[in-house]
Amino acid sequence: MENGEIESADEEMASRGGRRYTRVVSHEQAAIQMSPIEIISPSGILPKNEKANFQANSTANGSQGTSNGQDGQGELQKQSKLELFGFDSLVNILGLKSMTGEPIPAPSSPSEGEDVAITLGRPKETAPKLGTMMGVFVPCLQNILGIIYYIRFSWIVGMGGIGESLMLVSLCGACTFLTSISLSAIATNGAMKSVVVVSNSTSINGTVTNVTSTTVSTPSLHDLQLYGVVVTILLCFIVFGGVKIINKVAPAFLIAVLFSLFCIFVGTFAAPRHNASSGITGVKLKTFRDNWTSDYQRTTNAGVPDPSGSIYWNFNALVGLFFPAVTGIMAGSNRSASLKDTQRSIPIGTLAATLTTTFMYLVSVLLFGALATREELLTNRLLTAEVAWPVPAIVYVGIILSTLGAALQSLTGAPRLLAAIANDDILPVLKYFKVSEGGEPHLATLFTAFICIGCVVIGNLDLITPTITMFFLLCYAGVNLSCFLLDLLDAPSWRPRWRFHHWSLSLIGALICIVIMFLISWSFTVVSLALASLIYYYVSIKGKAGDWGDGFKSAYFQLALRSLRSLGANQVHPKNWYPIPLVFCRPWGKLPENVPCHPKLADFANCMKKKGRGMSMFVSIIDGDYQELAEDAKIACRQLSTYIDYKNCEGVAEIVVAPTMADGFRGIVQTMGLGNLKPNIVVMRYPEIWRRENLTQIPSTFVSIINDCIIANKAVVIVKGLDEWPGEYQRQYGTIDLYWIVRDGGLMLLLSQLLLTKESFDSCKIQVFCIAEEDAEAEELKADVKKFLYDLRLQAEVIVITIKSWEAHLKSGHQQDESMEAFSSAQQRIGAYLEEMKETSHREGTPLMADGKQVVVNEQQVDKFLYTTLELNSTILRYSRMAAVVLVSLPPPPLSHPSYFYMEYMDLLVENVPRMLIVRGYRRDVVTLFT
């Protein structure tokens, strides 16, 4: 492609889109920058002012293929081969030049001040990445192992016995193990966001009780509270120093903790030593048997057995106390930004930490149960320190470092998690905790420290751990339910690298979480679930939609497909019939530019639904060529969807581009919907402006739409007086009058009942007018209709009226009154139109033509149609002038009459009636007599 062709291509692209793409390639990062002014064509050709710079950069970086004219020509030819498909720019961006047989040029640096909008590939590494051991296993292990093991685990074994303690550890371990499997599947289903959240566990400074064989001494609670507040403040200052310091200190803390655990196990097998308490028997089978069963009893707030204590312990209470000792499994996944290979490290490291700690807890239950008497287990809170080898001080150091390490991890991770939630606008109320990219969440850190200080002031571990347990269980249940939903739906995007998962395991994990919650406290569980539901509702209403996708949307899609298949294509029984209106939004007239649908049409669509339940389909047609107006149609569809939501209508929007309105509607009525979810009622406005706006096009289109509905077996509801249709809070009084002339499957009756369910019409009463040609038929017809309405459970007053037939009118002679003046005027207009048609036919030598087809006009039949509609209009004005709304049967357009004639018939029918629904049913019943 020559330079002139390139320039013309650029100019053409600029004229089409008004924008240009600028390609930016930087080191191991490639991006597209889009701006309103600069855009490159899909072929990857750079704008003129950037060609020289790009070629210079390519040459300077050792690129080949541009050293001579022939090579340059060959490169342009290779580019042009892909240019037709628009692939070349994509190949350049992804660094896949080798696919086209071209040498790969060295990347150039982006110009100063350019913004990167879309990033492809890995971001530039700014810090050494961590592996499975230090990046996942160690953080998880440090968060799982905490103070509960040191000061409460032996007490739990003494209270619950070895048997129930094994059950307790197995239950909690199974919960976290199954959650880890679900977490591994979710974490390996694509790249994770670069948000560093170090920890999700919470450390608490609890009351420590030093117990000897004879006395129990408890430090002052106020002293502990003061110490705890001071330590929390100091840790907060350390956290302000940055994450790097904490990441360097944390492994040293963990080494000390692991060494203290090693000393405890060694001391267990070396017990009893010469200075040990009398209750420490060493690992003995007799002690193991004595401690196998449980011994639940009352204790003080500090956990000291006391028959008059305020707390009674059972298995459920032990679950709430112990469960925080198995939490912390998300510490590794929250460090995803620091991992070399997240999809390998997270599953292996998390599951390894979970299995390691669970195995250690199970072994500890057996050892502690065989080590000391029950009294010793229940009274010696620091039994682990006393049996530790060689000195108890090692365990004291382990307790301190374990507490401080977990506290540092929590004070580092929790604020970042809070800031990440705030930045995503998931909870708008948290907007004050937002931080800029790369910034430190100082305000979130202070808020987290304030919460920690509140827990420290409480000063009782046994009261705080059940509350923390509830939050963890809710979180883990959410992870399991998410994996269960994704696995069960099996969307194409669900392709986790971790394959050892199944929806049944995730479901079991979620059920275990719920069961544990109810074991701890059913009232707290109900409150927690209600609170979580409120938060979810608040997020769905106020929160900003994220880019992570919504599993519930996929679930709704699958449910819709299953429901659609279950409905099948069989005819729906009248008991299960719902109106699905196809609302024709384009009115016969003009609307403001920012109003895509007549507002009263949306109100009327809601009136056709019982209690607002049901679906409406709002459609509009744009006249023109689809290729030229496709983008306009998309914009109009979005505007219509927004307007439907604004009007609180349950429905979908669709915009169709067609050469004419009639052609567009014909396509819509054939294709809109799926299976039995196709629209069954077409709703549109009566074209009251047809005579003054368009004397030929509107009648032709109107009649074409009605005929298409009849052929497609769709019911029709035409609203006359749409501008006067009442709003939601405009209460109507009087009657809803039905002029039931032809059999319509009960549609008119059903519509009147649906209107009564709306607040606007609930004060009205229904009157059913039946038309009889002879007075002798009136009483029998009235009795039949009453019986029919009674069987249908419909409350309505039946009125039978007699209308003189056209033949009887001719015999009795013409009567001169106001209505006959309208009749004569319509006759004169039709006569003038017919004469014009005859002159055109005679002049062109063709048969009588109208609306592009041959017609046969029987003038006597025309007069009969005019008289029938006129008599019905006179009857409506006589009996229903004050009615809230009038419903009348829609006469079908005569096939051999011009559209103009039909509009004259209809005008006589609706004249002077302020609000009317003209209804035509279809060949099926929508109501039934049977239960």
Side-chain angles (χ1 to χ4, degrees), residues 14-27:
S15 64
R16 288 184 180 180
R19 302 183 298 177
R20 286 181 149 173
Y21 290 93
T22 301
R23 185 179 60 207
V24 181
V25 184
S26 173
H27 300 289

Side-chain angles (χ1 to χ4, degrees), residues 109-417:
S109 301
S111 58
E112 184 177 357
E114 287 182 332
D115 295 327
V116 178
I118 304 174
T119 302
L120 300 175
R122 292 187 303 172
K124 182 179 179 182
E125 298 182 1
T126 58
K129 297 294 184 177
L130 301 176
T132 302
M133 177 63 69
M134 298 304 299
V136 181
F137 181 77
V138 169
C140 288
L141 204 65
Q142 188 168 21
N143 280 269
I144 294 173
L145 296 175
I147 192 174
I148 292 179
Y149 179 81
Y150 289 104
I151 69 173
R152 269 305 203 191
F153 196 75
S154 59
W155 182 92
I156 290 174
V157 175
M159 184 67 70
I162 298 174
E164 293 195 13
S165 296
L166 290 174
M167 187 188 306
L168 171 65
V169 174
S170 300
L171 178 65
C172 297
C175 177
T176 54
F177 178 74
L178 294 175
T179 304
S180 298
I181 293 178
S182 300
L183 177 65
S184 300
I186 295 174
T188 58
N189 189 49
M192 298 183 67
K193 265 194 171 183
S194 298
V195 178
V196 180
V197 183
V198 182
S199 172
N200 69 338
S201 67
T202 302
S203 82
I204 305 157
N205 295 302
T207 302
V208 180
T209 306
N210 296 323
V211 182
T212 64
S213 58
T214 57
T215 61
V216 178
S217 62
T218 304
S220 171
L221 178 60
H222 297 293
D223 292 343
L224 289 175
Q225 291 170 333
L226 180 60
Y227 299 154
V229 171
V230 172
V231 170
T232 304
I233 294 175
L234 292 176
L235 293 176
C236 186
F237 279 110
I238 295 175
V239 170
F240 274 110
V243 180
K244 292 183 179 179
I245 299 176
I246 299 172
N247 287 342
K248 292 179 180 179
V249 174
F253 283 7
L254 181 61
I255 292 174
V257 172
L258 294 178
F259 182 72
S260 67
L261 295 176
F262 173 77
C263 293
I264 292 174
F265 281 103
V266 172
T268 300
F269 290 101
R273 296 200 297 273
H274 66 280
N275 58 346
S277 302
S278 59
I280 300 177
T281 64
V283 179
K284 303 291 184 182
L285 181 60
K286 180 180 183 303
T287 308
F288 184 89
R289 291 173 179 172
D290 293 340
N291 291 333
W292 177 260
T293 59
S294 61
D295 185 16
Y296 295 115
Q297 53 189 290
R298 292 188 175 275
T299 68
T300 63
N301 290 335
V304 179
D306 186 353
S308 60
S310 59
I311 302 177
Y312 179 77
W313 293 90
N314 53 24
F315 182 80
N316 298 353
L318 290 184
V319 172
L321 177 64
F322 173 73
F323 193 82
V326 298
T327 58
I329 59 176
M330 295 184 180
S333 60
N334 290 336
R335 288 173 174 255
S336 60
S338 304
L339 300 177
K340 291 180 182 178
D341 187 354
T342 58
Q343 301 193 16
R344 179 180 181 275
S345 298
I346 291 177
I348 296 176
T350 304
L351 290 170
T354 303
L355 292 175
T356 299
T357 52
T358 302
F359 176 76
M360 188 197 75
Y361 288 147
L362 291 174
V363 172
S364 298
V365 169
L366 299 176
L367 292 179
F368 288 157
L371 176 65
T373 63
R374 190 181 302 275
E375 182 182 359
E376 187 72 18
L377 293 173
L378 292 176
T379 56
N380 192 346
R381 184 66 64 87
L382 289 176
L383 178 64
T384 54
E386 188 169 346
V387 300
W389 179 89
V391 291
I394 295 177
V395 172
Y396 299 153
V397 174
I399 292 175
I400 295 173
L401 295 183
S402 171
T403 305
L404 294 179
L408 280 176
Q409 298 282 13
S410 299
L411 286 173
T412 305
R416 282 161 175 75
L417 178 60

Side-chain angles (χ1 to χ4, degrees), residues 703-716:
V703 172
S704 174
I705 290 174
I706 295 177
N707 285 329
D708 288 342
C709 292
I710 294 174
I711 294 173
N713 196 26
K714 309 289 186 185
V716 182

Side-chain angles (χ1 to χ4, degrees), residues 536-815:
Y536 177 80
Y537 180 75
Y538 174 77
V539 170
S540 63
I541 298 298
K542 298 291 186 180
K544 180 181 177 181
D547 59 353
W548 47 79
D550 187 351
F552 285 112
K553 296 294 178 61
S554 181
Y556 298 153
F557 179 77
Q558 292 290 340
L559 182 61
L561 290 181
R562 293 175 185 270
S563 301
L564 188 61
R565 288 197 297 266
S566 66
L567 284 175
N570 298 327
Q571 181 171 317
V572 177
H573 192 275
K575 286 191 295 186
N576 302 324
W577 188 87
Y578 285 86
I580 306 178
L582 176 67
V583 182
F584 192 29
C585 297
R586 181 168 178 171
W588 312 102
K590 296 187 180 295
L591 287 175
E593 293 184 0
N594 59 342
V595 181
C597 177
H598 196 293
K600 294 302 179 68
L601 269 178
D603 294 337
F604 179 73
N606 277 337
C607 289
M608 299 181 68
K609 304 172 187 176
K610 187 175 182 180
K611 297 181 181 179
R613 297 171 185 162
M615 181 175 66
S616 301
M617 300 181 182
F618 292 79
V619 298
S620 189
I621 300 171
I622 299 178
D623 296 342
D625 183 75
Y626 176 71
Q627 292 184 353
E628 296 178 356
L629 300 175
E631 290 300 322
D632 294 341
K634 293 177 182 177
I635 295 172
C637 188
R638 288 194 295 267
Q639 293 174 343
L640 183 56
S641 297
T642 303
Y643 190 76
I644 292 171
D645 294 337
Y646 166 73
K647 294 294 291 182
N648 294 324
C649 292
E650 291 185 356
V652 295
E654 189 63 52
I655 303 294
V656 174
V657 181
T660 64
M661 187 190 301
D663 292 337
F665 185 85
R666 187 168 293 122
I668 289 172
V669 81
Q670 293 180 74
T671 60
M672 181 67 75
L674 293 171
N676 276 322
L677 287 182
K678 289 185 176 181
N680 47 34
I681 301 178
V682 175
V683 179
M684 60 181 171
R685 182 185 188 182
Y686 182 77
E688 300 174 53
I689 62 169
W690 73 274
R691 197 182 300 279
R692 65 176 183 270
E693 290 286 339
N694 194 320
L695 201 59
T696 56
Q697 184 179 359
I698 290 181
S700 175
T701 304
F702 183 70
V703 172
S704 174
I705 290 174
I706 295 177
N707 285 329
D708 288 342
C709 292
I710 294 174
I711 294 173
N713 196 26
K714 309 289 186 185
V716 182
V717 177
I718 301 172
V719 187
K720 192 268 179 182
L722 184 63
D723 294 333
E724 288 76 33
W725 190 263
E728 184 179 358
Y729 302 106
Q730 294 177 309
R731 184 173 292 275
Q732 303 296 303
Y733 299 94
T735 59
I736 299 175
D737 292 352
L738 282 65
Y739 286 81
W740 196 14
I741 301 172
V742 298
R743 183 181 181 274
D744 61 354
L747 178 60
M748 195 183 297
L749 295 171
L750 185 61
L751 286 178
S752 64
Q753 292 296 317
L754 292 175
L755 288 177
L756 287 183
T757 63
K758 302 301 174 184
E759 189 175 352
S760 303
F761 294 96
D762 60 2
S763 299
C764 299
K765 296 181 179 180
I766 297 178
Q767 294 184 144
V768 178
F769 292 86
C770 300
I771 308 299
E773 293 186 1
E774 302 292 340
D775 293 337
E777 301 174 353
E779 291 302 322
E780 183 179 357
L781 179 61
K782 184 175 183 179
D784 291 342
V785 173
K786 278 188 173 182
K787 178 64 168 57
F788 180 72
L789 295 179
Y790 177 81
D791 292 338
L792 287 176
R793 293 90 61 202
L794 300 179
Q795 298 289 334
E797 181 182 357
V798 179
I799 302 173
V800 178
I801 56 178
T802 303
I803 294 182
K804 187 184 297 185
S805 65
W806 170 247
E807 292 76 11
H809 169 71
L810 291 178
K811 291 180 181 179
S812 62
H814 296 278
Q815 298 178 356

